[in-house]
Amino acid sequence: MKSLLAPVLVMMLATSLSAAVTHPANLVVPLTFSAKIVIPAAASKSGANGTFFRSDITVLNFADHMQRVQFRWLPQGGGAGSTTTLDMQTFNGLRSGDFVAEVLNQSGLGSILVTAVTNDGLEDPNGRLYAASRIWTPQAGTTGTTSQSFPSVPFTSIDSPAATIFAMGAADDPDRYRVNVGIVNLDPVNTQQFQIAIPTVLGPSPTVDVSIPPMSMQQVAFGNGVSPTSQFSIVNNSPAGSRSNAWIAYGSTVDNVTGDAWSELAVTGNDLARPAAGQ
């Protein structure tokens, strides 16, 4: 169910976030707001073993003016997305426990691009948006729930020539957990070609090639039994003329019994295995 957040609460959060960004030397990266943010994964869909995954999302407007906010649904596998535009009062917010279905009128798995816009639909550089997101499901066989958080990412911080996801397997019993890797292509024009590799000590790394249309995402299921010491390496193998660094990746591990899960964003960096310019 959709709900508006109290302006006083949002102002308190704004003060906290503003205080955080004055201390850039902290080990923990401070939370902040941005005119354009990405929620890497959001869902309203059934899963395995009696689960149904929904996104509980909160979006806050920290600007000192009414803000028009555009929510762009980036569906898994490409195809027709959607755009929903809402006006948010100053120091106010919106929350929904099933955001994809209730606010975006969509279903399935995808990503969400959240942008502060002007009345004529252009990006508003003075926007001050913040989003918090988790994907949750009723726990099979109980009246409780389980969930995993997905941090929102400021668009201006995205610059990914290559990326790595560390230790996504489960240390106690890898066969009990299934592992997924998701990639979001934020290039507005070009399809991107990615290669996902799982390092191993027993020879060449097995790889999976993924083609992702512009402004869409793809989640790849690696199943059970992934080693707890595995590091997923992701390289953009697109031709040099169309290769873009406008993408992010994440990993998600799910308990096959309860639906309990955890996620992490990929660490970006350079990769010497990427094709040279012009190849």
Side-chain angles (χ1 to χ4, degrees):
M1 182 176 182
K2 292 182 289 186
S3 62
L4 295 176
L5 300 181
V8 173
L9 173 60
V10 178
M11 290 182 69
M12 292 173 62
L13 290 170
T15 301
S16 175
L17 292 176
S18 296
V21 298
T22 62
H23 302 283
N26 288 347
L27 285 176
V28 177
V29 177
L31 300 177
T32 187
F33 26 68
S34 178
K36 191 174 186 179
I37 52 183
V38 180
I39 299 174
S44 185
K45 68 184 296 289
S46 59
N49 303 321
T51 54
F52 192 99
F53 294 100
R54 303 174 177 87
S55 283
D56 180 352
I57 295 176
T58 300
V59 181
L60 306 175
N61 171 28
F62 290 130
D64 59 1
H65 58 270
M66 187 278 292
Q67 183 67 66
R68 183 153 290 177
V69 183
Q70 182 184 89
F71 299 90
R72 184 168 179 179
W73 174 246
L74 311 179
Q76 176 167 233
S82 69
T83 300
T84 301
T85 303
L86 300 173
D87 290 335
M88 299 178 64
Q89 297 300 318
T90 182
F91 297 116
N92 215 321
L94 172 68
R95 180 178 183 180
S96 170
D98 191 359
F99 197 92
V100 173
E102 293 181 343
V103 178
L104 305 185
N105 295 312
Q106 296 292 323
S107 62
L109 177 67
S111 304
I112 304 174
L113 180 61
V114 186
T115 307
V117 297
T118 60
N119 289 339
D120 53 7
L122 300 177
E123 183 176 338
D124 183 356
N126 297 314
R128 293 159 67 91
L129 300 176
Y130 175 76
S133 172
R134 70 184 182 105
I135 293 180
W136 66 277
T137 177
Q139 187 181 52
T142 76
T143 58
T145 64
T146 62
S147 66
Q148 58 183 313
S149 297
F150 275 91
S152 57
V153 182
F155 192 88
T156 54
S157 70
I158 297 172
D159 184 13
S160 308
T164 302
I165 304 171
F166 294 93
M168 286 303 300
D172 55 345
D173 183 4
D175 290 327
R176 177 175 167 175
Y177 300 86
R178 61 188 185 273
V179 174
N180 306 293
V181 171
I183 306 173
V184 187
N185 176 17
L186 296 161
D187 188 291
V189 176
N190 299 299
T191 294
Q192 299 293 296
Q193 312 291 335
F194 297 94
Q195 185 174 86
I196 306 172
I198 310 174
T200 129
V201 297
L202 300 177
S205 302
T207 59
V208 174
D209 294 317
V210 185
S211 178
I212 305 179
M215 301 304 289
S216 68
M217 61 89 73
Q218 185 66 50
Q219 182 170 286
V220 181
F222 284 87
N224 305 336
V226 175
S227 167
T229 59
S230 290
Q231 297 178 9
F232 290 84
S233 298
I234 305 169
V235 179
N236 188 342
N237 281 339
S238 304
S242 61
R243 186 185 307 145
S244 169
N245 286 353
W247 60 277
I248 56 176
Y250 66 87
S252 172
T253 303
V254 185
D255 188 316
N256 291 323
V257 177
T258 65
D260 187 28
W262 63 90
S263 61
E264 62 180 274
L265 292 175
V267 177
T268 61
N270 295 314
D271 192 296
L272 296 178
R274 192 178 62 180
Q279 295 184 353

